[in-house]
């Protein structure tokens, strides 16, 4: 069966150096041929992303892997067999063919095989590795529907493949593998508890706050709505602003006085909550509220990745006295 024309068209755009937004199971990505530095530069321009923040390279399958990485330690193989295709990025020593622009000059490259059938078809047909950051403007909310991409980047890209809402809804877990040492650089779509079971040992954690995080994109302020966001453990009894939004995991006992309430999982299920998270934040951000109050998630499973996103969405640089 030949794939639909739109898939062929998008593969062609990528091969020719264009920009295409692609669905993945985590968030939508803004893709370009990773081996074409000019195409990669267009990603940074469209997103207004600083060049110090490296891109993840997406592959259809393991065939391309030996061409883009210098080594693939046994523990990386174990992780790949267990979690690919899926929401995991492995940071490995890069090969010569990967342009420095992709990795921001780092000797390592982040690799991921995404679990979205349409995008894997595009990757297979294009037959090039595809560099793709999340398809949002730098620092803003990640896109989990095609509409989110259209709103932020619509007129800056050559094509958008609509693959429906993202199934996982939170970005990939990023793991750096050096020999048999595995370090979590960004909590994401695979709970750390599951990664540790696969590795058979505790994973290391590298501090991901401050101005120079291990994954350069893990800045203190990130994933941010334009509406100010505050995080707390309990719903304030009086709504904090004239028009307040409330983001909660489970159904609240009382949300009196809140202009808009988003409940991520009435049943208290973190997987459902993750899938809804960015969509709910996009809706709250579009509602013209004075502020959003978000209740922190339980600190387990995907709750950890969601708390990480909340912390960065809430961060505001302390005003420095002059
Ligand atoms: O789920 C995802 O990972 C999505 C989809 C589109 O695949 N992509 C994504 O890309 O979230 P982006 O660019 O928004 O975030 C990538 C993160 C950044 O924080 C970047 O600093 C880090 O990955 N990263 C990329 N290459 C790296 C490397 N060689 N070493 C350390 N961190 C790296
Ligand atoms: Mg991003």
């Amino acid at each position: 069966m030949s794939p639909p024309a739109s898939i062929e068209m998008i593969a062609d755009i990528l091969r020719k150096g264009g920009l295409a937004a692609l669905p993945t199971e985590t968030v939508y990505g803004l893709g370009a041929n990773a081996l074409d530095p000019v195409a990669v530069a267009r990603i940074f321009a469209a997103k207004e992303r600083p060049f110090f923040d490296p891109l993840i390279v997406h592959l259809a399958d393991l065939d391309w892997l030996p061409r883009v990485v210098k080594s693939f330690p046994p523990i990386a193989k174990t992780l790949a067999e267990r979690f690919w295709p899926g929401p995991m990025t492995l940071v490995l020593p890069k090969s010569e063919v990967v342009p420095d622009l992709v990795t921001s000059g780092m000797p390592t490259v982040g690799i991921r095989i995404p679990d979205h059938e349409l995008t894997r078809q595009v990757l297979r047909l294009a037959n090039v590795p595809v560099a793709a950051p999340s398809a949002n403007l730098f620092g803003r909310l990640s896109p989990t529907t095609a509409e989110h991409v259209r709103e932020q980047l619509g007129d800056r890209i050559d094509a958008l493949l609509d693959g429906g809402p993202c199934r996982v809804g939170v970005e990939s877990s990023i793991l750096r593998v050096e020999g048999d040492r595995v370090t979590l650089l960004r909590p994401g779509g695979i709970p750390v508890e599951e990664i540790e079971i696969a590795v058979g040992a505790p994973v290391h954690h590298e501090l991901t706050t401050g101005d120079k995080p291990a994954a350069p994109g893990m800045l203190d302020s990130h994933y941010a709505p334009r509406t100010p966001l505050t995080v707390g453990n309990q719903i304030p009894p009086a709504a904090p602003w004239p028009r307040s939004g409330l983001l909660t995991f489970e159904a609240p006992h009382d949300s009196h006085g809140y202009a808009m309430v988003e409940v991520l999982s009435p049943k208290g299920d973190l997987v459902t909550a993750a899938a809804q998270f960015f969509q709910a934040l996009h809706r709250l951000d579009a509602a013209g509220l004075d502020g959003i109050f978000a209740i922190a998630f339980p600190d387990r499973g995907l709750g950890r990745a969601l708390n990480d996103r909340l912390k960065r969405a809430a961060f505001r640089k302390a005003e420095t006295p002059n």
Side-chain angles (χ1 to χ4, degrees):
M1 198 178 74
S2 65
S6 62
I7 304 259
E8 279 175 344
M9 192 187 84
I10 287 176
D12 199 45
I13 286 171
L14 289 171
R15 263 195 313 267
K16 290 181 174 148
L19 289 188
L22 302 168
T24 84
E25 78 284 25
T26 59
V27 302
Y28 275 73
L30 176 59
N33 178 355
L35 305 183
D36 176 348
V38 177
V40 171
R42 293 187 60 211
I43 294 180
F44 286 93
K47 272 188 67 105
E48 300 173 24
R49 177 177 173 119
F51 285 108
F52 64 73
D53 192 2
L55 307 178
I56 293 172
V57 171
H58 296 70
L59 308 178
D61 45 50
L62 290 171
D63 286 0
W64 263 93
L65 192 75
R67 284 178 267 181
V68 290
V69 303
K70 240 192 219 152
S71 65
F72 194 53
I75 197 86
K77 190 160 180 275
T78 303
L79 286 164
E81 278 167 3
R82 173 72 183 81
F83 296 117
W84 277 346
M88 173 185 74
T89 296
L90 292 181
V91 171
L92 295 160
K94 84 172 194 75
S95 76
E96 299 297 316
V97 301
V98 179
D100 284 334
L101 189 56
V102 170
T103 65
S104 302
M106 302 216 288
T108 53
V109 61
I111 304 286
R112 179 163 115 77
I113 299 182
D115 187 15
H116 196 293
E117 198 34 49
L118 293 182
T119 290
R120 286 183 76 200
Q121 283 185 36
V122 169
L123 293 171
R124 253 179 239 123
L125 261 182
N127 196 26
V128 288
V130 167
S134 49
N136 52 315
L137 290 168
F138 182 69
R140 294 261 300 275
L141 286 177
S142 296
T144 53
T145 66
E147 193 48 39
H148 296 158
V149 180
R150 233 172 260 127
E151 280 161 21
Q152 291 195 36
L153 298 174
D155 53 351
R156 301 178 181 204
I157 58 182
D158 301 311
L160 164 60
L161 181 60
D162 189 343
C166 300
R167 180 174 58 78
V168 175
V170 63
E171 293 86 345
S172 60
S173 305
I174 305 183
L175 299 170
R176 190 176 59 214
V177 182
E178 297 147 299
D180 55 7
R181 188 184 168 90
V182 177
T183 307
L184 182 73
L185 303 184
R186 177 176 74 181
I190 299 176
V192 71
E193 295 91 329
E194 284 185 34
I195 297 167
E196 292 186 330
I197 291 170
V199 172
V203 302
H204 299 83
H205 293 248
E206 197 134 309
L207 271 188
T208 52
T209 52
D211 287 338
K212 278 221 174 306
M218 293 292 280
L219 299 175
D220 288 336
S221 169
H222 211 118
Y223 310 107
R226 277 161 295 183
T227 314
L229 183 141
T230 303
V231 189
N233 289 317
Q234 275 162 11
I235 303 174
W241 308 279
R243 274 178 59 74
S244 299
L246 181 64
L247 180 73
T248 70
F249 172 39
E250 294 172 277
H253 293 302
D254 181 16
S255 54
H256 181 76
Y258 286 84
M260 185 171 176
V261 180
E262 289 280 353
V263 180
L264 294 175
S265 171
K267 287 192 185 145
D269 165 32
L270 285 164
V271 175
T272 310
Q276 294 299 322
F277 179 74
F278 280 117
Q279 289 193 56
L281 271 176
H282 277 280
R283 284 193 292 270
L284 287 163
D285 202 20
L289 301 165
D290 302 309
I292 301 167
F293 197 92
I295 309 300
F297 295 87
D299 193 32
R300 59 179 159 80
L302 291 180
R304 294 189 187 180
L306 294 173
N307 283 333
D308 170 81
R309 305 302 184 271
L310 276 185
K311 193 176 75 192
R312 292 173 211 280
F315 184 86
R316 272 178 288 287
K317 271 219 150 68
E319 279 176 34
T320 43
N322 47 24

